[in-house]
Amino acid sequence: MTNRRSFIWAATAATASAATFPSLSARLAAAEPSTPDLPVRFSLNTSTIRGQNLSIEKQVDVAAAAGYDGIEPWMRDIETFLAEGGKLGDLRKRIEDAGLFVASAIGFANWISDDDQQRRAGLEAARHDMELVAGLGGKLIAAPPIGAHRGGSVSPPLELVAERYRALCEIGASVGVQPQLELWGFSPTLSKLGELAYVATAAAHPAACVLPDFYHIYKGGNDFAGLSMIEASKMLCFHINDYPADPPQDKIADKDRVFPGDGVCPLPTIIRGLIDNGFTGTFSLELFNPEYWKRDALAVAREGLEKSKAVVQQALSLSVG
């Protein structure tokens, strides 16, 4: 049970944030879960069925048929749709007619680079991506540490990262789309929950928010207890997945992710903590498992949703000491 003090603190923080960034208030008010007894919503990140090589229209159809609340498309699939003559308005209508919302979108704009020219180009690319997301009715986009994420990269000082993230948030505020600071466990930059929290805080922007991921938290060598230090209203979307005990942490890769509940991550316990701290966002299923790509896309999407809901149900059934 959430104690009174933490509830008041979370409610106060959410109210302050809503006052400075109205779109967040509207989105939280509209966040009605599809299953009445679950306080969260569920989205399909289309990486989960990437290997089936479906068009974005078919990805929408699969997400809707499987029973998801939302879809989290990749920008490259949106761009392919447009390049082939598709109209953004038609795609938005297809999503809305299917009863879905755009939970987030996956883009790779280089907003963090030390090279001024590359960073300026990256910010323009980010603006372009955000405008497309807004055109689909979306309010969120991933902002991973592109430009400082490779093995040989040297991480910029966190103070600089925060300044650069603030610049990205300024663009987002002008478009109406919030860039979610994304943790990547394999990256020299923003692989730690502490780094994520510092940058989001130091950016000092009302649009600042974070995009955690169970696999990446583990891959980055983090303790899941660190999630309790991030205010719940700043986690609007959370990538849900699981991971096996083998390969070990230093060898595990994106392709090794498995359905929630099929690995060793203590998801019910962690999710219970998130919910008790006020999390009411969207769990978006993000997998890259080549074995799942060999299967029927709808069957994979359905199994993923069933298992995502199951671990949330297990979380809610846990007794609180």
Side-chain angles (χ1 to χ4, degrees), residues 15-96:
T15 301
S17 178
T20 53
F21 203 81
S23 64
L24 173 58
S25 176
R27 185 163 58 257
L28 291 176
E32 295 296 332
S34 59
T35 307
D37 57 338
L38 299 182
V40 298
R41 295 195 290 182
F42 298 90
S43 170
L44 178 66
N45 182 305
T46 57
S47 68
T48 303
I49 53 172
R50 178 200 291 177
Q52 285 83 347
N53 296 315
L54 303 178
S55 67
I56 193 167
E57 303 103 306
K58 293 298 184 183
Q59 293 169 0
V60 169
D61 294 347
V62 167
Y68 287 85
D69 303 298
I71 187 168
E72 187 177 18
W74 282 50
M75 296 308 305
R76 66 185 182 193
D77 291 334
I78 297 172
E79 294 282 10
T80 296
F81 169 79
L82 295 174
E84 293 176 350
K87 304 296 184 185
L88 200 62
D90 291 342
L91 182 57
R92 177 173 181 165
K93 186 176 186 302
R94 190 183 191 103
I95 292 169
E96 293 175 348

Side-chain angles (χ1 to χ4, degrees), residues 108-114 118-123 126 142-147 160-168 179-182 189-190 199:
F108 299 101
N110 181 352
W111 58 273
I112 200 173
S113 174
D114 281 330
Q118 288 182 6
R119 195 169 63 256
R120 281 194 296 270
L123 290 174
I146 294 294
L160 270 181
V161 177
E163 289 178 12
R164 293 166 186 175
Y165 177 55
R166 180 179 175 84
L168 189 65
Q180 304 162 98
L181 194 65
E182 186 173 12
T189 308
L190 298 181
V199 170

Side-chain angles (χ1 to χ4, degrees), residues 40-312:
V40 298
R41 295 195 290 182
F42 298 90
S43 170
L44 178 66
N45 182 305
T46 57
S47 68
T48 303
I49 53 172
R50 178 200 291 177
Q52 285 83 347
N53 296 315
L54 303 178
S55 67
I56 193 167
E57 303 103 306
K58 293 298 184 183
Q59 293 169 0
V60 169
D61 294 347
V62 167
Y68 287 85
D69 303 298
I71 187 168
E72 187 177 18
W74 282 50
M75 296 308 305
R76 66 185 182 193
D77 291 334
I78 297 172
E79 294 282 10
T80 296
F81 169 79
L82 295 174
E84 293 176 350
K87 304 296 184 185
L88 200 62
D90 291 342
L91 182 57
R92 177 173 181 165
K93 186 176 186 302
R94 190 183 191 103
I95 292 169
E96 293 175 348
D97 286 352
L100 300 171
F101 74 105
V102 177
S104 175
I106 303 299
F108 299 101
N110 181 352
W111 58 273
I112 200 173
S113 174
D114 281 330
D115 184 287
D116 292 343
Q117 185 174 352
Q118 288 182 6
R119 195 169 63 256
R120 281 194 296 270
L123 290 174
E124 284 306 308
R127 180 184 295 277
H128 170 75
D129 289 350
M130 290 176 183
E131 288 172 347
L132 293 182
V133 172
L136 293 176
K139 300 292 184 181
L140 301 171
I141 190 169
I146 294 294
H149 68 288
R150 301 193 184 280
S153 300
V154 176
S155 178
L158 291 181
E159 294 85 352
L160 270 181
V161 177
E163 289 178 12
R164 293 166 186 175
Y165 177 55
R166 180 179 175 84
L168 189 65
C169 287
E170 287 290 331
I171 293 172
S174 71
V175 176
V177 173
Q178 290 175 258
Q180 304 162 98
L181 194 65
E182 186 173 12
L183 185 148
W184 273 3
F186 64 86
S187 171
T189 308
L190 298 181
S191 65
K192 303 295 185 184
L193 284 169
E195 295 170 338
L196 202 71
Y198 175 87
V199 170
T201 302
H205 195 283
C209 56
V210 300
L211 176 55
D213 178 304
F214 291 104
Y215 161 78
H216 278 298
I217 292 171
Y218 168 72
K219 176 66 177 176
N222 296 274
D223 190 314
F224 284 100
L227 282 169
S228 65
M229 301 305 295
I230 300 175
E231 210 282 312
S233 71
K234 294 299 185 179
M235 293 184 282
L236 303 173
C237 186
F238 200 123
H239 286 160
I240 191 169
N241 41 55
D242 207 333
Y243 47 83
D246 188 58
Q249 179 187 344
D250 62 333
K251 304 293 186 192
I252 201 166
D254 281 339
K255 65 182 178 61
D256 300 309
R257 302 186 200 190
V258 294
F259 289 124
D262 285 0
V264 297
C265 183
L267 288 170
T269 302
I270 301 165
I271 291 171
R272 181 56 188 258
L274 288 169
I275 292 172
D276 285 350
N277 282 335
F279 178 72
T280 57
T282 300
F283 280 128
S284 189
L285 181 70
E286 186 181 59
L287 302 170
F288 298 85
N289 195 310
E291 294 303 312
Y292 300 162
W293 291 345
K294 297 175 184 177
R295 296 172 48 191
D296 176 71
L298 180 55
V300 170
R302 281 179 171 156
E303 184 174 353
L305 180 58
E306 290 168 2
K307 290 183 172 178
S308 295
K309 287 186 173 182
V311 294
V312 175

